[in-house]
Amino acid sequence: MQNTRLDTDRIRAARRLIDPAFLNTPLYRCEALEPALGCAVSIKLETANPVRSFKARGTEVVASLLADSGRRAAVCASSGNLGQALAWSGRARGLDVTVVSSRFATAAKLDRIRALDARLELVDGDHELARERAADIARADGIRLVEDSLDIETCEGAATIGLELVDTEPKFDTVLVALGGGALATGVGHVLKTFAPEVELICVQPLGAPAMAHSWRNRRVITTDSTDTIADGVDGRRPIPAVLDDLLLVADDAVLVQESSIITAMRMLFNQAGLVVEPSAALGIAALLENPTRFAGRHVVTVVCGSNVDVEAYHRWVGTGRIGES
C-alpha cells in the first residue's frame, strides 16, 4: 500500500491517550438481523460511551496533545457529534472549547454540547458555513482549530477501531463504514490495508449527500451546492483534498443509499438488535438492504458509529413510540 498521512506507530500510541471508556467497544454477531439481510452480520458498537459516538477517539488524542503543549483553548465546527466529543475531552483536560454549528442541527446534539460546558455559536447556514466561522474564530483568538478528518489526530483516533477489528476472531470479509468527512473511513481503512488487506472496506453515503463518494469515484474533489438527507452526521458538501487522497488508497468502494433504506435500517436495528441509532450509523445496514446479492454468504462488520438522536424525529422515522416510555 502507498503511504497515507496516517502512521501505524502513532495509531498504537493514540490508544494510550484515549480514555478507556471509548476503547474496546463491543463487537458481536447479530444473528437476528441475518435472515433479512442474507449474510453474517457483526456489529462494532461505538455508541456505548459518554458521548454516544466514535468521535471521542479522535478528540481524546487532540485534547491530550493540546493540554501537553500548554494550549488551553480550541474551536471546531460540528453538526453535533464532534462538538460533543471535543467538549467532553476538553473539559476533562481544562480546555476552553467553542463549537460552531448550524442552528438547524439536531436540537438534542446542541443541548448536549451546552451541557458539557462548551461555548456554542450558531450560524444561519449549513456545516460549511460553520466551518468558515470556526476558522475565523481560531484566527481572531489565536486558538487551535480542530478540523475533523483534516487533522490527522481525528483519523488516527478513529483508526484504533481498526486495531480492535483486526485483533478479533473469527475473521470477516467486509467492513462497512459511514462516509462523511472521512476520518472513520481513512482510519479504519489504513489499519485494514496494513494488517488485513484481504478485507474489503466499503464506505456508505446517502444519495442526498454524495460529495465524498462522487469524489472517490472520480478520483478528484467534487463539491455539491446543497445536501438533502436525514443523516446529518455525513452531510458535508466540500471534501478535503488530503482526506480524499487517503481514501483513494484504502477504500475498495463508495456506495450511495436511499433515504428510505436508511429509515428501514434504523427500524431493523431497533426491532432486531435493540439499538437506537442515528441515521449515519444505519448506513451500513442500508447498503446491505439495497444490494443483498453482493454480500450473500459473506461475513460483514458494520460500524454503528453514533446514537445521538432527536426523540421526536426518531419517532417519526422509526415509529417505535417515544423512547423511554413503557
Side-chain angles (χ1 to χ4, degrees):
M1 183 183 75
Q2 298 180 49
N3 290 333
T4 69
R5 294 178 302 141
L6 287 76
D7 178 82
T8 302
D9 289 337
R10 289 200 307 261
I11 295 167
R12 293 193 185 280
R15 297 179 78 165
R16 298 191 290 272
L17 302 177
I18 299 171
D19 188 294
F22 302 104
L23 295 173
N24 301 311
T25 52
L27 173 66
Y28 59 93
R29 179 95 173 260
C30 190
E31 294 184 37
L33 289 169
E34 295 176 357
L37 298 175
C39 61
V41 179
S42 288
I43 287 172
K44 181 64 168 166
L45 188 64
E46 292 294 311
T47 65
N49 63 57
V51 299
R52 301 198 298 194
S53 83
F54 80 96
K55 294 289 189 181
R57 290 184 185 249
T59 61
E60 284 287 279
V61 181
V62 171
S64 293
L65 296 176
L66 276 176
D68 288 347
S69 69
R71 302 183 70 176
R72 309 313 305 170
V75 59
C76 73
S78 173
S79 60
N81 286 350
L82 178 71
Q84 289 180 68
L86 185 61
W88 193 95
S89 298
R91 187 181 66 176
R93 295 164 178 82
L95 304 180
D96 294 325
V97 172
T98 299
V99 179
V100 184
S101 185
S102 167
R103 68 176 64 256
F104 308 110
T106 300
K109 294 181 179 181
L110 300 181
D111 289 343
R112 185 59 182 157
I113 291 170
R114 294 186 184 98
L116 289 166
D117 300 330
R119 173 175 172 264
L120 180 64
E121 180 174 323
L122 301 179
V123 298
D124 290 313
D126 65 6
H127 180 68
E128 300 304 332
L129 183 62
R131 284 172 64 178
E132 294 172 6
R133 176 57 185 155
D136 289 342
I137 292 172
R139 284 190 294 268
D141 296 348
I143 62 176
R144 168 68 183 269
L145 174 63
V146 178
E147 294 195 76
D148 194 24
S149 303
L150 177 61
D151 288 2
I152 201 64
E153 301 97 328
T154 62
C155 302
E156 291 178 343
T160 61
I161 297 171
L163 291 181
E164 293 169 17
L165 288 174
V166 298
D167 285 344
T168 62
E169 293 286 348
K171 298 303 180 184
F172 40 86
D173 303 301
T174 302
V175 176
L176 297 170
V177 296
L179 180 59
L184 180 61
T186 59
V188 172
H190 175 90
V191 174
L192 290 178
K193 289 297 175 281
T194 302
F195 297 108
E198 73 282 1
V199 175
E200 185 180 38
L201 177 74
I202 299 178
C203 308
V204 190
Q205 272 196 315
L207 275 166
M212 187 61 108
H214 284 333
S215 298
W216 182 87
R217 292 176 180 180
N218 289 275
R219 304 188 68 82
R220 62 182 178 87
V221 170
I222 293 177
T223 63
T224 60
D225 294 330
S226 62
T227 61
D228 183 16
T229 179
I230 63 172
D232 63 325
V234 293
D235 65 352
R237 298 187 289 108
R238 300 174 186 168
I240 299 168
V243 182
L244 175 61
D245 289 343
D246 289 341
L247 190 68
L248 289 169
L249 295 174
V250 301
D252 295 292
D253 201 359
V255 302
L256 297 170
V257 295
Q258 301 178 64
E259 296 293 294
S260 59
S261 299
I262 299 172
I263 292 172
T264 300
M266 293 171 68
R267 187 176 298 122
M268 288 180 65
L269 284 162
F270 181 83
N271 290 330
Q272 274 73 54
L275 297 175
V276 174
V277 306
E278 60 189 83
S280 301
L283 289 172
I285 300 299
L288 296 177
L289 284 167
E290 290 200 1
N291 198 350
T293 57
R294 175 175 184 172
F295 302 101
R298 309 191 80 184
H299 185 181
V300 177
V301 173
T302 183
V303 179
V304 174
C305 55
S307 64
N308 289 296
V309 296
D310 177 88
V311 173
E312 298 298 331
Y314 186 86
H315 173 56
R316 291 195 304 273
W317 297 326
V318 179
T320 61
R322 296 180 185 273
I323 302 168
E325 291 184 351
S326 59

